[in-house]
């Protein structure tokens, strides 16, 4: 049956259809996926105000169709994911690559060294939301591995049922601290860091970690335009570690795949037997000794007893010669103390060696007047080695002292050490004011012309010390560990672990094999530096 053009229009209008022009407009959206089509139509509707894209007689409800399509696809994706993982109710290891689980189960500290992509892939494979910052992903995977090892996953699932928590795929999972109660990623708003305080001994902290305590905390969630307070069950100890031990997270602007964060609780070597013949040395830039001693949370004797040290080397005491008599009894039981102060600039620099073992001989400076007026070096001779406590000059603002540092001080100190080495091995410790490699500084690219990381200082460090046969003991023991010893006050770098490694123990190659442990104590506060330690078997 044939109709004229006007008859077709009348027929279309009587049936509730619009004119040909309307169909042309609708064809602009052809080829779009259903969800994208829905968004496009909604946007178009908003542009048109009260106008409708379709006549009132049209029975095609676009939002409903789009929503049904979205739900259908979500169910398909969820079903596919469950098939890949072996079903929603399957117990045991759900990782696609079981070798990854075995590796991080045997050595959990490797989790911090995983890349963001590896973390996300692993978390997705075990059915845990993989969104958020790296620290959130690490925390989520660490908790999952611990629950798998402890057999607590089923208990966590029961708690999830109690609070109504389910995974996005419809499969119950252990509570993930990197997501909120709906399985969505936490807000990107950073939580306020708890001020850094005194940390208990490694043994006490380890016992706390083994004893997981569940607590209720209030957290603000945004639902639509309303803010409500939700109570969420979390692991209190895990939060404590994240806040009070920021160094256990790998923090670096250019991390390499094989780098890991230095964690003294897990990476220090076990102590030697009490009757073992050894020397335990500790070095610390205190950034003003009188100021440190006024800190109510600090006790020098407690630190010495905790680490059971034989010798304490300190730098940047900022003392004058009139203060030395009072400081000689700083540590009870350490009756041998030797101090040197700056005479060219009062209240500046200064070094000291405090020992419970009496040295054979003690000297001060390099024997060069141009270098010895700032109290930067104390040399103590013991039976089997020379110990040098040094505070290397900083190149200063604008690198004003860079020429003096690299052309005079470093070469003179290097020659002095080689001369001593002719009779005994040498140990150099202290604030050497140089981050030798990119692994030793949080932001290498942004500090290429900063004092302590210039190419000139790093080359001088290599040429005058390492190339002459002296070994960086920490880097020898931990070639891929990111551990810092200095955090600037200016930007609160200690709370976020954005620091530098400036403090060292360098030893003669002849005794490098006798080093039992070379470590960092980032939990000790009171200065912008933290102590570094060395255990030498005699």
């Amino acid at each position: 049956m044939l109709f004229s053009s006007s008859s077709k229009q009348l027929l279309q209008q009587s049936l509730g259809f619009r004119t040909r022009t309307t169909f042309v407009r609708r064809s602009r959206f052809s080829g779009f996926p259903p969800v994208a089509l829905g968004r496009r139509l909604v946007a178009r509707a908003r542009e048109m105000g009260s106008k409708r894209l379709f006549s009132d007689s049209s029975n095609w409800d676009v939002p409903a169709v789009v929503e049904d399509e979205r739900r259908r696809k979500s169910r398909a994706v969820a079903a596919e994911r469950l098939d890949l993982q072996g079903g929603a109710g399957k117990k045991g290891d759900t990782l696609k690559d079981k070798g990854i689980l075995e590796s991080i189960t045997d050595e959990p500290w490797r989790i911090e060294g995983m890349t963001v992509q590896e973390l996300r892939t692993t978390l997705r494979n075990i059915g845990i939301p993989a969104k958020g910052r790296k620290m959130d992903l690490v925390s989520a995977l660490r908790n999952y591995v611990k629950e798998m090892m402890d057999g607590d996953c089923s208990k966590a699932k029961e708690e999830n049922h109690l609070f109504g928590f389910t995974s996005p795929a419809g499969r119950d999972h252990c509570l993930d601290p990197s997501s909120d109660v709906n399985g969505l990623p936490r807000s990107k708003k950073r939580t306020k860091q708890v001020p850094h305080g005194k940390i208990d001994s490694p043994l006490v902290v380890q016992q706390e970690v083994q004893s997981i305590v569940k607590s209720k905390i209030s957290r603000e969630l945004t639902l639509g335009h309303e803010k409500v307070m939700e109570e969420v069950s979390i692991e209190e100890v895990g939060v404590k570690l994240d806040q009070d031990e920021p160094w256990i997270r790998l923090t670096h602007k250019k991390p390499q795949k094989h780098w890991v964060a230095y964690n003294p609780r897990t990476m220090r070597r076990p102590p030697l037997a009490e009757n073992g013949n050894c020397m335990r040395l500790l070095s610390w830039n205190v950034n003003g000794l009188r100021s440190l001693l006024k800190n109510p949370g600090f006790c020098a004797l407690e630190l010495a007893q905790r680490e059971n040290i034989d010798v304490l080397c300190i730098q940047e005491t900022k003392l004058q010669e009139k203060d030395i008599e009072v400081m000689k009894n700083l540590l009870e039981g350490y009756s041998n103390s030797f101090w040197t102060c700056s005479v060219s600039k009062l209240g500046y620099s200064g070094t000291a060696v405090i020992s419970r073992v009496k040295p054979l001989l003690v000297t001060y400076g390099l024997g060069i007047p141009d270098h010895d007026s700032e109290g930067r070096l104390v040399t103590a001779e013991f039976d089997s080695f020379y110990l040098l406590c040094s505070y290397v000059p900083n190149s200063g603002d604008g690198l004003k002292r860079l020429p003096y540092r690299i052309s005079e001080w470093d070469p003179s100190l290097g020659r002095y050490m080689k001369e001593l080495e002719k009779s005994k091995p040498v140990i150099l410790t202290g604030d050497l004011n140089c981050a030798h490699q990119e692994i030793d500084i949080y932001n290498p690219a942004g500090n290429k012309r900063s004092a302590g990381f210039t190419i000139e200082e790093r080359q001088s460090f290599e040429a005058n010390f390492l190339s002459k046969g002296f070994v960086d003991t920490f880097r020898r023991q931990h070639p891929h560990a990111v551990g810092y010893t200095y955090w600037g006050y200016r930007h609160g770098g200690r709370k976020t672990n954005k620091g530098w490694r400036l403090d060292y123990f360098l030893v003669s190659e002849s005794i490098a094999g006798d080093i039992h442990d070379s470590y960092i104590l980032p939990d000790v506060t009171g200065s912008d530096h933290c102590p570094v330690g060395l255990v030498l078997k005699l």
Side-chain angles (χ1 to χ4, degrees):
M1 186 175 184
L2 299 177
F3 296 95
S4 64
S5 177
S6 58
S7 299
K8 287 181 180 180
Q9 292 178 359
L10 290 173
L11 179 61
Q12 290 170 353
Q13 291 175 2
S14 65
L15 293 175
F17 292 109
R18 302 189 68 168
T19 62
R20 179 176 177 82
T21 305
T22 301
F23 287 108
V24 172
R25 288 178 180 171
R26 287 174 58 188
S27 66
R28 291 169 49 202
F29 301 100
S30 61
F32 282 88
V35 174
L37 174 59
R39 292 173 181 168
R40 195 70 175 263
L41 291 174
V42 171
R44 179 63 176 162
R46 289 175 178 170
E47 293 176 3
M48 297 177 65
S50 60
K51 297 180 180 180
R52 294 176 58 87
L53 290 177
F54 303 97
S55 66
D56 293 337
S57 59
S58 174
N59 293 323
W60 185 25
D61 187 355
V62 176
V65 172
V66 173
E67 182 65 14
D68 289 343
E69 181 68 10
R70 185 186 67 79
R71 290 177 179 174
R72 184 188 65 79
K73 287 198 170 186
S74 297
R75 287 194 296 270
V77 171
E80 181 180 357
R81 183 179 298 174
L82 292 178
D83 289 338
L84 289 174
Q85 295 175 351
K90 186 176 179 180
K91 296 182 180 179
D93 178 18
T94 59
L95 283 173
K96 293 169 67 177
D97 184 2
K98 295 187 178 181
I100 297 178
L101 180 62
E102 293 175 358
S103 174
I104 60 179
T105 301
D106 294 338
E107 299 175 323
W109 55 267
R110 290 188 178 274
I111 295 176
E112 282 80 357
M114 297 174 67
T115 65
V116 173
Q117 186 59 41
E118 291 172 341
L119 289 166
R120 286 177 175 164
T121 301
T122 304
L123 288 171
R124 289 193 189 104
N125 287 338
I126 60 180
I128 294 178
K131 294 183 179 180
R133 296 173 295 171
K134 182 174 181 179
M135 59 179 289
D136 299 324
L137 304 178
V138 168
S139 178
L141 184 55
R142 188 171 57 209
N143 290 339
Y144 177 84
V145 171
K146 180 171 181 59
E147 288 166 350
M148 292 293 293
M149 294 173 64
D150 295 344
D152 290 338
C153 197
S154 59
K155 181 179 179 181
K157 287 181 180 180
E158 292 176 1
E159 293 175 357
N160 289 353
H161 279 299
L162 180 62
F163 288 95
F165 300 155
T166 56
S167 68
R171 184 167 68 95
D172 295 334
H173 60 81
C174 298
L175 185 59
D176 178 15
S178 66
S179 60
D180 63 20
V181 295
N182 297 311
L184 299 175
R186 282 182 176 174
S187 170
K188 293 184 178 180
K189 180 179 179 181
R190 298 193 177 189
T191 56
K192 185 177 180 181
Q193 294 283 352
V194 175
H196 217 42
K198 183 179 178 183
I199 305 300
D200 294 328
S201 66
L203 178 60
V204 174
V205 175
Q206 187 175 5
Q207 291 172 349
E208 290 180 355
V209 175
Q210 293 172 351
S211 173
I212 301 299
V213 180
K214 299 280 184 175
S215 68
K216 299 283 186 177
I217 65 168
S218 295
R219 182 158 54 84
E220 189 176 71
L221 301 176
T222 302
L223 301 177
H225 297 289
E226 298 181 1
K227 291 184 177 180
V228 298
M229 301 302 294
E230 254 330 291
E231 280 196 337
V232 183
S233 178
I234 65 166
E235 292 182 351
E236 189 177 59
V237 174
V239 173
K240 179 181 185 298
L241 294 181
D242 284 344
Q243 292 177 339
D244 290 348
E245 297 186 344
W247 55 85
I248 68 176
R249 298 189 301 269
L250 179 61
T251 309
H252 199 280
K253 279 267 189 175
K254 292 176 57 180
Q256 302 299 312
K257 185 176 181 180
H258 52 284
W259 289 359
V260 296
Y262 176 73
N263 185 347
R265 289 190 294 104
T266 59
M267 300 173 73
R268 282 187 64 177
R269 290 176 178 170
L272 294 172
E274 287 296 329
N275 56 357
N277 194 13
C278 67
M279 286 282 280
R280 299 176 179 86
L281 313 175
L282 199 69
S283 176
W284 191 10
N285 179 323
V286 296
N287 191 22
L289 185 57
R290 284 172 295 190
S291 176
L292 174 64
L293 296 178
K294 292 177 183 178
N295 188 334
F298 173 76
C299 177
L301 185 59
E302 283 184 5
L303 174 62
Q305 292 175 343
R306 184 186 104 172
E307 299 301 321
N308 192 24
I309 61 173
D310 298 298
V311 184
L312 173 64
C313 300
I314 53 179
Q315 306 89 43
E316 204 172 0
T317 61
K318 298 183 180 180
L319 298 180
Q320 300 181 34
E321 291 183 350
K322 64 181 182 179
D323 303 318
I324 294 178
E325 194 64 30
V326 179
M327 294 296 178
K328 280 189 174 180
N329 299 320
L330 178 64
L331 295 178
E332 183 180 354
Y334 294 76
S335 57
N336 307 285
S337 63
F338 310 93
W339 307 74
T340 180
C341 305
S342 173
V343 295
S344 61
K345 184 178 179 181
L346 300 182
Y348 175 72
S349 186
T351 53
V353 172
I354 304 171
S355 176
R356 62 184 174 189
V357 179
K358 186 176 181 179
L360 302 177
L361 179 68
V362 176
T363 58
Y364 305 93
L366 291 168
I368 303 174
D370 290 344
H371 299 328
D372 296 342
S373 63
E374 295 181 350
R376 292 186 176 273
L377 183 69
V378 177
T379 302
E381 180 185 357
F382 293 93
D383 289 336
S384 55
F385 61 89
Y386 287 100
L387 175 63
L388 280 62
C389 173
S390 178
Y391 179 36
V392 172
N394 191 299
S395 295
D397 293 336
L399 303 177
K400 294 178 181 179
R401 299 194 79 182
L402 179 61
Y404 167 73
R405 159 78 183 274
I406 64 174
S407 62
E408 298 184 48
W409 174 269
D410 284 357
S412 297
L413 179 58
R415 288 191 296 266
Y416 176 72
M417 293 168 64
K418 292 303 291 183
E419 189 65 27
L420 293 176
E421 198 178 35
K422 292 178 181 179
S423 58
K424 290 180 182 179
V426 173
I427 299 176
L428 172 66
T429 188
D431 178 3
L432 304 189
N433 262 316
C434 179
H436 178 227
Q437 300 173 328
E438 289 195 350
I439 193 175
D440 298 316
I441 181 173
Y442 162 72
N443 183 12
N447 287 283
K448 291 186 180 296
R449 295 309 296 169
S450 297
F453 193 67
T454 63
I455 187 63
E456 296 91 341
E457 290 166 307
R458 296 162 63 195
Q459 289 176 346
S460 176
F461 187 87
E462 179 76 31
N464 291 294
F465 306 117
L466 303 185
S467 295
K468 290 188 174 182
F470 296 102
V471 176
D472 177 356
T473 57
F474 180 83
R475 189 55 64 212
R476 172 72 67 90
Q477 183 176 333
H478 305 284
H480 306 306
V482 177
Y484 305 129
T485 65
Y486 164 80
W487 303 264
Y489 286 135
R490 186 175 301 174
H491 302 295
R494 192 155 195 159
K495 293 180 181 179
T496 54
N497 195 35
K498 298 177 180 179
W500 305 48
R501 188 170 75 96
L502 301 177
D503 304 82
Y504 297 80
F505 272 97
L506 305 184
V507 304
S508 297
E509 182 69 53
S510 60
I511 60 172
D514 297 326
I515 301 302
H516 174 70
D517 197 11
S518 182
Y519 58 92
I520 298 173
L521 297 177
D523 64 297
V524 179
T525 60
S527 169
D528 51 359
H529 291 250
C530 75
V532 295
L534 186 79
V535 180
L536 172 67
K537 293 182 289 186
L538 300 177

